[in-house]
Amino acid sequence: MSSNVRFTDFKSDKQPTWCPGCGDFGTMNGMMKALANTGNSPDDTFVVAGIGCSGKIGTYMRSYALHGVHGRALPVGTGVKLANPDLEVMVAGGDGDGYSIGVGHFIHAVRRNIDITYVVMDNRIYGLTKGQASPTSRSDFETATTPEGSKQPPVNPLALALSAGGSFIAQSFSSHAQRHTEIIEEAINHDGFSLVNTFSPCVTFNDVDTYDYFRDSLVDLGEEEDYDPSDREQAKDKILDSEKEYMGVLYQDDDAQSYEQAHGVEGNMADIDTDGAPDGAMDLVREFY
Amino acid sequence: MHEDLNWAIGGEAGDGIDSTGKIFAQALSRAGRHVFTSKDFASRIRGGYTAYKVRTSVDKVRSVVDRLDVLIALTERTVDENLDELHDGSVIIYDGERTEFSDFEAPDDVTGLDVPLKSLAEDAGGAIMRNIVALGAVCEVADFPIENLDESLEKKFGGKGEKIVENNKEAARLGAEYVEEEFDLAFDFDLETTDNDYVLLNGDEAIGMGAIAAGCKFYAGYPITPATDVMTYLKGRIENFGGHVVQAEDELAAINMALGAARAGARSMTATSGPGIDLMTETFGLVATSETPLVITNVMRSGPSTGMPTKQEQGDLNQMLYGGHGEIPRFVLAPTTVAECFWKTIEAFNLAEKYQTPVYLTADLAMAVTEQTFEPEKFDMDAVEIDRGKVVDEDEISKWQNEKDQFKPHAVTADGVSPRAFPGTEGGVHMSTGLEHDELGRRTEDVDVRVEQVDKRQQKVTTAEEEEDFSYREFGNPDSDNLVISWGSNEGTLIEAMDYLDQEDVDVRLLSVPYIFPRPDLTEDIEAAEEVVVVECNATGQFADLVEHDTLTRVKRVNKYNGVQFKADELADDIQEELA
């Protein structure tokens, strides 16, 4: 890790092909700033992404990265982190990627509590496939595939994370650059699985969950003096509040043991003896006598 | 006197069939006898017929046969299930005090020994030891020194304390004494012991051991019969070598975790069976396109769909060769014996890293759950070689950077293999993707770059065909006009079948092929033969199709797909029929 790293070091020379005004620009900038502010360097950072607009992030950032298949980014991140716990592993996904096709992986990554930071660019729509309902779309939101609204309640990712034993649950908004960066910094510094559900408006296909909507409606818990993120009951009330939406760290359990701690996973698994079988391997044969 | 003994214990799942069988198999192995075990089990946890069979000889044994000399029957169904295999002189050990055996009569010419297994076990300290009483009875029947059981009992029950071990030894002795005192019978068996050292293990265990020997540190898998033993073997052992096992939430997660670990630089593996391969196929393409070294073990069972999860088949060959959309360079290895499972696993890791591509390693159920004895030298760890391929460190990285100091993970090279930088390597920063990409790993739809990258990936196969030795194993008469070709676990059965054929004055040349892709060119061998028979456990002859494709010659086929592996005498008959 180097203290001389600037956030622009995490920027690649590729120009994003996101639509002008897309919320993903702000989400990504916050990720890069937070990585630099927490003392990480591109050489020691691994970013995993799935499919969709969010999946493009690995191309626009500069770090070790893998752009995988739809919904499977968290298992890839899990493998990377366990194989080399020294790496800073950040997983980026979209609401479709993470809460629809990948929702099973999401629940299990949360309950494993592996030390990775999961940033979900939640625009409540499928963007890259041109405007279908996503799992976080409102039930009355009309799209190409739900002309009369989906008539199904949206997934509440924060509630899923809390019920699965999540140890860091946060919500952010890409347009609040400073706050967004702070929240991701806290997520990186948290020792365990960190969810940052980031509202990242789609200016092309979603005219309901807009910049104006989030700017006007989001309540920042960081500004509420009596809010204690370590209080699970308080967090539950906020997360299940159907009247309001919140920003900030909703829940954080600093005492939760990470997967790596619980299983004694340490060391870089890339290091192996190239002279032959590892020392002590003959004992494996003796077991079968 | 019989030259070998065919023994079985059968009952309901949950009766302790497996552990009893294993104790006896280990005792025989420790007494310097060769052992070959097979299991007949149903896909349920309790109830249903299940059996553990042991064939043992002083000579090497490589297959199961249709003959049963001694049978411990814990249920009457066990006798019914094995009636065809019992013969004049066979012995059945049963407990007449059990309700269903109260008026049991052994079939004609078979000796039934009514041993009060349960009450003798209770005398020794607990009814649970009734199977051990039966083992003691077997020792007396087979003239096998009962002391040989002791070490196996210590190994099995040592963790539960000295008292339990002693009780079990006592139970065995009570069983032996009962037979000696109550029955005035002379049996034909005389199990010779030797000073030979053997190890006893199955294919799944050999694959797990091979993985550790090869430096594999990461395993992610999802439980599935009959591949789960690979995971249970690694768990608790790989940690001693700095590794870790994750039981993933599904097969999709398993292969993606393994992919992530591989990209982080670890030697990484997953194992599953056909239905799991279906689920993994999505990511298989990503593994190949992102040029990530990964070993994927497929322990085949009867398909399609859920098929017959506990039954033998070699039906997934086409799945492994062609599975996935688009065109995917890959290797497919198929070890032919339990010992070869060990060596091919190591080779799989070397090929994966040398060519930065996924490798399918496939065993079939019969080999995966079959235990066999081997000389420990067959697993000589000093002979293990590790080749990690083109890994570059900080010092060499500049050679693989462009003018903007960007690393080229998909650099086009003459051999098709690019440099590999593990995360953490200064100057090696790069991304990789399942999208078509340029040398930097960045998405492209440029027609020339597309062709260049496809050619580059395919070149790896060509390079490997030139550099590696993808040959066959050969047995029998090299000059015979009769050529028999097999792949996977049928090798051992065929070697024994050749003895039967020999008795009929039929000689054959046997080629056992452990490489499905790339595979040896058999054209010359086929042209030199008059008759060619391909043997495999599937209905359509998937390997025979490949042989015909490669050699432009029609071949004859012997196929079995009822869920049961070939038996040597049966196979000899089938081959002879094709040759006639």
Side-chain angles (χ1 to χ4, degrees):
Chain A
M1 301 218 183
S2 162
S3 55
N4 301 322
V5 172
R6 293 156 48 83
F7 96 89
T8 48
D9 292 335
F10 283 95
K11 233 181 161 97
S12 85
D13 59 350
K14 272 273 188 198
Q15 286 306 308
T17 58
W18 290 321
C19 304
C22 175
D24 291 353
F25 287 98
T27 308
M28 180 175 75
N29 279 337
M31 290 165 69
M32 295 190 293
K33 282 179 186 162
L35 281 165
N37 292 350
T38 48
N40 292 290
S41 80
D43 289 329
D44 297 313
T45 301
F46 202 112
V47 174
V48 188
I51 298 285
C53 293
S54 66
K56 296 181 172 186
I57 200 157
T59 313
Y60 310 142
M61 284 178 66
R62 188 175 158 270
S63 74
Y64 283 93
L66 184 94
H67 172 219
V69 291
H70 200 198
R72 321 280 171 226
L74 280 171
V76 174
T78 300
V80 172
K81 185 68 187 181
L82 292 177
N84 187 353
D86 297 336
L87 296 172
E88 186 61 44
V89 177
M90 194 171 268
V91 177
D95 38 313
D97 185 78
Y99 306 142
S100 194
I101 188 167
V103 73
H105 304 312
F106 171 58
I107 295 294
H108 290 281
V110 169
R111 80 181 177 93
R112 281 193 190 100
N113 203 29
I114 289 174
D115 185 18
I116 54 187
T117 299
Y118 184 39
V119 180
V120 180
M121 302 174 176
D122 185 358
N123 56 15
R124 300 177 169 176
I125 189 88
Y126 281 119
L128 205 55
T129 50
K130 306 203 167 168
Q132 300 81 21
S134 100
T136 51
S137 294
R138 298 163 191 240
S139 61
D140 58 354
F141 184 42
E142 293 169 15
T143 73
T145 50
T146 56
E148 294 169 351
S150 70
K151 302 177 181 174
Q152 300 165 45
V155 157
N156 179 339
L158 308 183
L160 288 181
L162 191 74
S163 63
S167 65
F168 185 100
I169 300 166
Q171 197 145 258
S172 185
F173 176 33
S174 68
S175 180
H176 285 347
Q178 181 65 29
R179 268 301 272 152
H180 174 57
T181 303
E182 278 170 20
I183 292 167
I184 295 188
E185 276 177 45
E186 285 188 62
I188 291 171
N189 287 331
H190 176 71
D191 212 359
F193 186 87
S194 311
L195 168 68
V196 184
N197 190 65
T198 304
F199 295 119
S200 193
C202 175
V203 293
T204 306
F205 292 109
N206 193 333
D207 54 8
V208 178
D209 302 289
T210 60
Y211 284 99
D212 283 344
Y213 164 74
F214 289 115
R215 206 174 283 127
D216 296 342
S217 64
L218 278 177
V219 177
D220 189 351
L221 290 171
E223 289 168 6
E224 297 205 350
E225 276 177 22
D226 58 347
Y227 190 75
D228 174 10
S230 70
D231 183 341
R232 202 165 184 276
E233 283 304 310
Q234 238 186 342
K236 192 175 79 183
D237 290 344
K238 298 290 183 202
I239 285 171
L240 296 179
D241 186 346
S242 56
E243 303 294 315
K244 283 185 190 156
E245 302 204 69
Y246 298 90
M247 191 172 74
V249 180
L250 283 102
Y251 182 64
Q252 182 167 12
D253 177 4
D254 284 327
D255 298 327
Q257 207 178 22
S258 73
Y259 183 96
E260 298 91 306
Q261 289 163 345
H263 291 83
V265 181
E266 54 183 12
N268 183 351
M269 292 182 192
D271 299 333
I272 67 166
D273 191 350
T274 49
D275 293 338
D279 290 345
M282 258 333 272
D283 291 343
L284 296 171
V285 183
R286 290 190 193 100
E287 264 189 70
F288 291 109
Y289 271 116
Chain B
M1 195 173 82
H2 293 264
E3 63 183 22
D4 61 0
L5 178 87
N6 293 283
W7 173 97
I9 179 167
E12 290 195 354
D15 276 344
I17 305 293
D18 265 15
S19 53
T20 312
K22 179 115 184 180
I23 288 166
F24 190 53
Q26 273 179 344
L28 292 162
S29 167
R30 280 159 186 253
R33 294 183 61 86
H34 276 295
V35 172
F36 187 98
T37 75
S38 59
K39 289 178 191 173
D40 192 353
F41 59 115
S43 184
R44 55 194 287 179
I45 296 168
R46 291 196 70 88
Y49 170 71
T50 179
Y52 189 108
K53 295 187 175 180
V54 175
R55 185 173 164 216
T56 176
S57 170
V58 170
D59 301 324
K60 184 88 186 159
V61 278
R62 304 168 195 272
S63 72
V64 288
V65 290
D66 268 327
R67 194 176 71 249
L68 205 47
D69 304 310
V70 178
L71 172 66
I72 300 174
L74 298 179
T75 58
E76 198 167 350
R77 184 176 168 191
T78 307
V79 180
D80 297 338
E81 291 278 351
N82 294 283
L83 216 47
D84 292 349
E85 299 187 7
L86 296 169
H87 56 86
D88 188 2
S90 292
V91 176
I92 301 173
I93 293 166
Y94 65 98
D95 188 344
E97 291 177 6
R98 292 193 76 164
T99 337
E100 61 177 309
F101 281 114
S102 55
D103 40 69
F104 171 73
E105 276 182 46
D108 290 348
D109 303 325
V110 171
T111 308
L113 296 186
D114 178 359
V115 182
L117 303 176
K118 189 176 168 209
S119 57
L120 288 175
E122 281 164 352
D123 292 347
I128 197 166
M129 295 182 293
R130 66 193 172 113
N131 295 359
I132 308 299
V133 175
L135 283 184
V138 169
C139 288
E140 184 60 29
V141 168
D143 205 7
F144 181 60
I146 197 166
E147 294 71 33
N148 289 305
L149 275 185
D150 290 352
E151 270 187 85
S152 297
L153 293 172
E154 280 162 19
K155 185 165 177 167
K156 174 74 187 171
F157 299 111
K160 294 182 174 172
E162 189 58 28
K163 175 88 172 124
I164 301 283
V165 173
E166 286 310 314
N167 286 353
N168 276 280
K169 289 180 182 173
E170 174 66 10
R173 273 172 182 74
L174 290 179
E177 281 168 22
Y178 189 87
V179 172
E180 190 191 1
E181 287 164 13
E182 298 295 321
F183 305 104
D184 186 21
L185 295 166
F187 300 101
D188 250 358
F189 311 107
D190 178 12
L191 291 194
E192 195 183 327
T193 61
T194 77
D195 292 334
N196 293 332
D197 266 341
Y198 296 128
V199 290
L200 179 73
L201 67 166
N202 69 27
D204 276 347
E205 290 166 333
I207 289 167
M209 191 165 73
I212 295 178
C216 172
K217 297 261 186 89
F218 187 84
Y219 177 94
Y222 186 75
I224 184 168
T225 303
T228 312
D229 282 354
V230 177
M231 177 155 65
T232 45
Y233 174 82
L234 289 172
K235 185 72 210 169
R237 289 183 179 83
I238 202 169
E239 295 86 349
N240 300 332
F241 297 88
H244 186 67
V245 171
V246 181
Q247 182 178 325
E249 56 270 27
D250 55 34
E251 286 87 350
L252 301 148
I255 189 171
N256 278 284
M257 286 177 186
L259 160 68
R263 290 225 62 93
R267 284 199 153 188
S268 176
M269 177 165 87
T270 183
T272 184
S273 190
I277 297 287
D278 288 348
L279 296 174
M280 291 182 179
T281 302
E282 173 193 42
T283 299
F284 183 78
L286 170 65
V287 174
T289 308
S290 64
E291 305 196 71
T292 307
L294 192 65
V295 177
I296 303 156
T297 295
N298 177 9
V299 185
M300 293 178 286
R301 64 189 211 186
S302 297
S305 191
T306 353
M308 298 196 289
T310 62
K311 303 299 173 191
Q312 161 71 351
E313 199 162 284
Q314 297 177 305
D316 302 350
L317 188 150
N318 287 338
Q319 180 193 33
M320 289 180 286
L321 266 180
Y322 306 118
H325 60 280
E327 294 168 308
I328 302 176
R330 67 189 84 196
F331 296 102
V332 185
L333 310 187
T336 55
T337 67
V338 170
E340 278 300 298
C341 285
F342 174 79
W343 292 107
K344 285 287 171 286
T345 304
I346 295 162
E347 190 176 346
F349 279 101
N350 286 337
L351 288 173
E353 290 205 316
K354 274 175 81 174
Y355 299 99
Q356 295 172 23
T357 199
V359 180
Y360 273 130
L361 175 78
T362 187
D364 44 57
L365 179 139
M367 183 155 57
V369 304
T370 291
E371 288 146 313
Q372 237 184 309
T373 37
F374 294 92
E375 295 78 14
E377 300 78 58
K378 291 272 186 197
F379 305 93
D380 179 11
M381 294 292 177
D382 291 336
V384 172
E385 289 176 11
I386 308 286
D387 188 342
R388 303 214 68 183
K390 290 190 192 172
V391 177
V392 291
D393 59 17
E394 275 90 353
D395 302 332
E396 306 158 276
I397 208 99
S398 59
K399 277 190 268 179
W400 297 101
Q401 289 172 329
N402 67 7
E403 65 287 349
K404 287 155 98 178
D405 296 341
Q406 291 166 316
F407 180 69
K408 298 189 282 187
H410 304 287
V412 174
T413 58
D415 62 3
V417 184
S418 308
R420 190 170 169 223
F422 296 153
T425 307
E426 216 172 296
V429 159
H430 66 271
M431 76 161 289
S432 200
T433 171
L435 291 165
E436 191 55 87
H437 46 256
D438 60 14
E439 290 187 301
L440 292 176
R442 292 173 170 191
R443 184 182 76 89
T444 183
E445 288 172 5
D446 181 300
V447 291
D448 296 329
V449 175
R450 159 69 178 177
V451 171
E452 193 176 62
Q453 286 290 326
V454 171
D455 289 348
K456 170 200 140 48
R457 293 193 292 267
Q458 292 299 336
Q459 175 62 38
K460 296 192 253 194
V461 176
T462 313
T463 304
E465 282 176 319
E466 286 162 5
E467 287 191 6
E468 310 292 330
D469 181 18
F470 296 122
S471 59
Y472 45 65
R473 289 153 65 86
E474 182 165 359
F475 305 89
N477 175 8
D479 300 318
S480 175
D481 291 332
N482 301 318
L483 183 65
V484 176
I485 300 169
S486 88
W487 65 282
S489 74
N490 298 323
E491 177 187 297
T493 319
L494 277 163
I495 290 171
E496 294 210 342
M498 287 197 298
D499 291 340
Y500 288 93
L501 289 168
D502 203 37
Q503 289 164 20
E504 304 285 320
D505 288 328
V506 177
D507 71 351
V508 298
R509 177 179 182 219
L510 168 62
L511 304 185
S512 173
V513 184
Y515 300 99
I516 307 298
F517 190 81
R519 56 187 171 270
D521 183 356
L522 302 174
T523 309
E524 282 181 25
D525 305 285
I526 283 181
E527 284 173 356
E530 281 177 18
E531 299 285 350
V532 182
V533 181
V534 177
V535 175
E536 55 194 312
C537 290
N538 56 45
T540 57
Q542 297 178 26
F543 195 76
D545 288 346
L546 294 178
V547 172
E548 289 185 347
H549 168 274
D550 291 354
T551 64
L552 300 177
T553 305
R554 287 281 177 202
V555 297
K556 292 177 171 171
R557 296 158 190 239
V558 169
N559 301 85
K560 189 172 182 184
Y561 47 93
N562 64 354
V564 182
Q565 67 206 97
F566 282 110
K567 295 190 169 70
D569 43 357
E570 162 200 37
L571 193 45
D573 289 346
D574 291 350
I575 290 171
Q576 206 174 349
E577 199 172 305
E578 290 299 326
L579 293 177

